[in-house]
Every structure is written in C-alpha cells, then in structure tokens.
Amino acid sequence: MPRPRGSQKTREQEARLVTGRGRLVGYIRVSTEGQHTNGHSLAGQEQRLQEACQRAGFELVTILQDVASGTKTDRDGLAEAQGMVEQGLAEGLVFAKLDRVSRSMLHSAKLIEWARGGGFTMLSADEGPRVGRGELGNEALPFFQASARVEHE
C-alpha cells in the first residue's frame, strides 16, 4: 500500500479544510460592561463581522464573545473559538480589529503563529486578512500589534 504524500501536519490541515473551508468563527470582545453600548459595542462589532464575511465570501458560523480585558490571555470565548477552528468546524477566525482579540504583542504573536502553524485564517473586518490559510497576509502586522498595545496604554 502506498504511503500518503505530505507530512502528517499537512494532511491534518487539509482534512480540517474539507469541513471548515469557507467558514469562519466570529470573535468579539469588550473590556467592560459599559462598552456594550459605547465605544466598540458588541452589536457594532457583530455587524462589522457579518459585513466582512459577506465581502470576503465567507460563511459566519457563529459569534463568540468575552467581556474581559484584551491583555488577559485566558478568555473563554476566544478559547472556544480557537477550539472550533482546531476541530475543523471553520477554517479560521474573524474579528473587528486585532485589538479586539489581543492588546498584548506577545499574545498577538502567539495567535498569529497558531494560525500560521495550523494553516488557519485570521480576518480582521477593519484591517483585512492577517493570516490566510497559514500564510501571513500583511507584512505590516507587527505595526498593528504595536499600535494595539499603545492604544491600551
């Protein structure tokens, strides 16, 4: 019997894309209960995710949310969204802006590497593709990460 071509990692990525291709899991976040209606409201972010998916030709599977600081790395909604992608229910994440996912440069870098290593997509409604099926979508990404950190401070 012939041996399968490609690495096991590549075969796993391809298998996930069979079921998740063209689908994204939305993630929205606010830092405080007060932001529900002011600033980056959850409803406003949800609308932007829907519009971004429609423009880019993706199906929005679901939207998960957190009310927590962007500097916290252990957020239930984000962990669940990543888990859905890893299970093959979607090919990646969509979010309003990178600062809605993370305010920490280290955490942002880890998320980008998670997407690159897994062959996932990360789409920002406001900033465009960050990672497309594992490929870095914008060489200016470190500047967006730095900007998110400076805005937080």
Side-chain angles (χ1 to χ4, degrees):
M1 177 195 250
R3 189 169 173 207
R5 294 176 113 2
S7 70
Q8 181 174 349
K9 182 178 177 181
T10 301
R11 289 191 305 274
E12 289 172 357
Q13 289 173 354
E14 289 171 356
R16 279 194 303 270
L17 282 175
V18 168
T19 56
R21 186 176 301 255
R23 304 173 80 199
L24 296 177
V25 174
Y27 177 73
I28 56 179
R29 179 193 65 79
V30 292
S31 296
T32 64
E33 292 290 335
Q35 281 187 317
H36 278 287
T37 55
N38 301 320
H40 292 285
S41 73
L42 293 173
Q45 290 180 61
E46 188 172 333
Q47 179 67 34
R48 287 162 43 207
L49 268 54
Q50 292 168 348
E51 291 169 358
C53 283
Q54 188 174 36
R55 274 192 316 269
F58 286 104
E59 174 189 349
L60 184 57
V61 178
T62 190
I63 298 176
L64 301 169
Q65 68 182 44
D66 283 310
V67 178
S69 170
T71 60
K72 291 182 70 173
T73 59
D74 60 340
R75 288 175 264 139
D76 293 339
L78 181 57
E80 185 178 350
Q82 287 181 276
M84 290 179 71
V85 172
E86 290 167 355
Q87 292 169 29
L89 301 174
E91 74 172 67
L93 301 176
V94 60
F95 43 87
K97 285 179 62 176
L98 187 59
D99 71 2
R100 298 291 89 206
V101 180
S102 180
R103 290 281 193 176
S104 158
M105 287 185 68
L106 180 59
H107 185 236
S108 294
K110 287 180 180 179
L111 288 169
I112 298 302
E113 284 309 306
W114 166 81
R116 290 181 71 193
F120 306 135
T121 294
M122 290 181 68
L123 174 65
S124 167
D126 292 355
E127 301 150 341
R130 304 291 95 198
V131 179
R133 294 189 182 145
E135 299 296 322
L136 195 57
N138 188 328
E139 296 301 323
L141 186 57
F143 298 106
F144 287 110
Q145 292 171 315
S147 176
R149 180 66 190 159
V150 169
E151 286 178 8
H152 172 71
E153 294 173 353

